[in-house]
Amino acid sequence: MPLDRSSAGDPARTLELLWRVPAGTPRRGPRKRLDIDAVVAVAIGLADADGLDAVTMRRVAQRLGVVPMTLYTYVPGKAELLDLMLDTAYLRMSRTDTAGRPWRDRLTAVAEENRALFEAHPWAATISTGRPPLGPGMMAKYEHELSALDGLGLHDVEMDAALTFLLTFVQANARSAAEARQVRQDSAMDDEQWWAANAPVLDRVLDPGAYPTAARVGSAAGAAQRAAYSPEHAWEFGLRRVLDGLAALIDGRAGSVETGPGAR
């Protein structure tokens, strides 16, 4: 299965595009009708509506009213376009000013900002960013998010790892939430309706005596969440556990210092 990942195109050209560096000597001829921002805006609109598979150079060109070959004079291909889309989404993210607040509040804000990003642009959660696009959006995002961990007694590598730990949870939760929405859409029924429709068959084939723990826990979780899986419950439970895990590192660090109102 193909993997959508960042930085899969020509790295030099991608960086030039991300930072809007002019490529070589300007060509003579008619003035260009489009610009990169217009191309990226259309691509993001297609991805938001129909997912990344809908983003092809041909479809973007059609939306812009140009032939596909014209589009290649702005962006070399889909790989570079994907980096531009992702960096633009990062650049437009909301960034909460949490200066002076306790570290848990600051990291919660970072988590919620990224969750909002993935809700607005579900496709962004599906992209592997092991090699992130180092554009202005990515750098502004990274700088902002690291500030939530600065001054806590962590060394630089620990700050980066702690942020990765938090954001990996957020991305995984976003993917699961998107999958749950897709299942509901494809089946044309919510989880309660699905379980009610299939309960008679399940009652015949599943023996609670053979799986006593699974039956007990599954019934309790299903009743509490009104589904086998609740993205909202997974978010609230998981974020607390992530912060608790980081507390073992941050609060236990000798000489850890918080500054500002409400600090420990």
Side-chain angles (χ1 to χ4, degrees):
M1 181 177 179
L3 174 69
D4 288 308
R5 63 180 180 86
S6 59
S7 299
D10 177 355
R13 184 64 185 129
T14 297
L15 287 170
E16 290 174 346
L17 289 168
L18 288 169
W19 292 94
R20 304 301 192 266
V21 177
T25 304
R27 295 181 180 179
R28 293 182 178 181
R31 186 174 182 176
K32 290 185 176 182
R33 292 173 45 201
L34 304 175
D35 58 28
I36 292 175
D37 292 336
V39 174
V40 173
V42 167
I44 288 176
L46 285 169
D48 288 347
D50 300 314
L52 283 180
D53 287 344
V55 182
T56 65
M57 300 297 277
R58 180 175 295 278
R59 285 196 67 183
V60 172
Q62 288 174 343
R63 290 289 180 93
L64 290 167
V66 299
V67 297
M69 287 307 298
T70 299
L71 203 61
Y72 287 101
T73 65
Y74 295 89
V75 183
K78 184 174 177 178
E80 292 83 2
L81 180 57
L82 188 62
D83 283 341
L84 288 162
M85 293 165 59
L86 198 57
D87 198 68
T88 298
Y90 289 161
L91 196 61
R92 295 174 180 173
M93 283 178 68
S94 173
R95 307 198 205 286
T96 306
D97 182 5
T98 57
R101 291 168 59 181
W103 70 263
R104 279 180 178 263
D105 290 354
R106 299 201 299 267
L107 288 183
T108 296
V110 168
E112 289 174 345
E113 289 162 1
N114 279 272
R115 189 188 192 197
L117 166 73
F118 294 138
E119 287 178 347
H121 307 294
W123 52 270
T126 68
I127 299 172
S128 172
T129 54
R131 291 180 178 173
L134 299 179
M138 175 75 252
M139 296 310 298
K141 179 179 187 292
Y142 190 46
E143 179 72 19
H144 166 71
E145 292 169 352
L146 286 174
S147 69
L149 291 156
D150 203 15
L152 300 181
L154 305 182
H155 59 64
D156 289 351
V157 175
E158 287 174 329
M159 288 173 61
D160 179 81
L163 180 59
T164 299
F165 179 51
L166 175 68
L167 297 187
T168 298
F169 160 72
V170 177
Q171 186 174 23
N173 179 268
R175 287 176 174 174
S176 295
E179 290 167 1
R181 287 193 297 270
Q182 190 63 50
V183 166
R184 289 195 297 272
Q185 180 178 322
D186 292 345
S187 64
M189 54 176 87
D190 62 26
D191 286 348
E192 282 190 287
Q193 292 169 326
W194 188 90
W195 285 107
N198 291 280
V201 175
L202 291 171
D203 288 341
R204 290 201 306 271
V205 299
L206 289 182
D207 177 10
Y211 313 102
T213 307
R216 186 187 79 243
V217 174
S219 295
Q225 300 173 168
R226 303 177 68 180
Y229 173 75
S230 165
E232 192 64 34
H233 181 268
W235 169 260
E236 294 174 358
F237 181 88
L239 181 58
R240 286 196 297 269
R241 301 295 81 79
V242 169
L243 296 178
D244 288 346
L246 290 174
L249 175 67
I250 295 168
D251 295 343
R253 178 61 52 84
S256 176
V257 177
E258 280 247 28
T259 59
R264 291 184 162 191

